Amino acid sequence: MLDDDIGTACAGPLVRAGYARSVRAVMRHEGPGPPGRSAAEVELDALCVSLARRWRGFLPGADEEGGRRLVDRREARRRGADVVRFLSASTADGEVAAWGDPYLDPATGTAQIEGLVTSGAHLGCGHGHTAPTTALRLAADAGRGTRFLIADASDRPRGWYERRGFAVIGHTHRFTRG
């Protein structure tokens, strides 16, 4: 549900009826692409091991098949925009430390940044800045005036994104049967 007022008004009755509610912040970045280290553009295969490891950390109860499907669904992202890139920030010895996927739509001048994740072993080491920084520079250099991402409205990464120049421009509300 894209209308924040309607989503908020529906929350009480829907939650009482047994629906779970999640609120996501739509965050926009304006201005030039920020300076910083660059992530490399890679093929999805280069990220599969790191993706699977991180998904197991996020969802420890998931079976191997479920984890594989979560990794494989990234390939479907290529249908999400005219240009989808897979970015990887690596350690000095070549281990994948962080990643993200910018979607670039030339027709609308829009870039959405998806899937920003840092490997659990590399949290707090500075690699997490690299993928979004590179994605923003790619989008700005390609003339994408609307650059955004969607984050959990109450989770820690939202503040991290705000400190990097993203501003909340709205919210989405999702209700699922719990």
Side-chain angles (χ1 to χ4, degrees):
M1 183 173 298
L2 296 176
D3 187 294
D4 197 22
D5 292 334
I6 293 172
T8 300
C10 292
L14 287 171
V15 168
R16 285 190 297 279
Y19 287 84
R21 175 185 182 209
S22 63
V23 181
R24 311 274 290 163
V26 179
M27 304 180 76
R28 181 175 179 169
H29 189 277
E30 294 181 342
R37 293 183 301 169
S38 290
E41 186 172 348
V42 298
E43 291 300 318
L44 181 57
D45 291 349
L47 300 175
C48 286
V49 170
S50 298
L51 286 165
R53 186 178 304 127
R54 196 64 171 136
W55 273 116
R56 281 191 301 275
F58 288 145
L59 303 168
D63 64 10
E64 189 170 322
E65 174 65 18
R68 186 187 60 72
R69 283 195 310 267
L70 288 168
V71 171
D72 290 347
R73 76 182 181 144
R74 284 184 104 91
E75 182 59 38
R77 291 188 174 178
R78 293 192 190 276
R79 295 188 302 269
D82 288 343
V83 179
V84 179
R85 295 185 169 155
F86 299 108
L87 301 176
S88 172
S90 299
T91 64
D93 63 357
E95 183 179 353
V96 174
W99 53 88
D101 312 337
Y103 294 45
L104 308 172
D105 186 349
T108 63
T110 303
Q112 179 176 358
I113 302 169
E114 280 283 329
L116 295 171
V117 179
T118 300
S119 165
H122 300 289
L123 289 170
C125 298
H127 298 288
H129 302 274
T130 308
T133 295
T134 303
L136 287 168
R137 279 199 309 263
L138 285 170
D141 292 350
R144 305 306 178 265
T146 302
R147 299 178 302 275
F148 73 99
L149 56 78
I150 300 173
D152 187 308
S154 61
D155 204 0
R156 183 188 59 79
R158 177 185 159 184
W160 190 87
Y161 298 134
E162 287 173 332
R163 291 189 299 278
R164 277 141 193 88
F166 286 90
V168 175
I169 60 169
H171 293 90
T172 65
H173 299 257
R174 186 166 121 187
F175 299 93
T176 54
R177 191 56 113 165

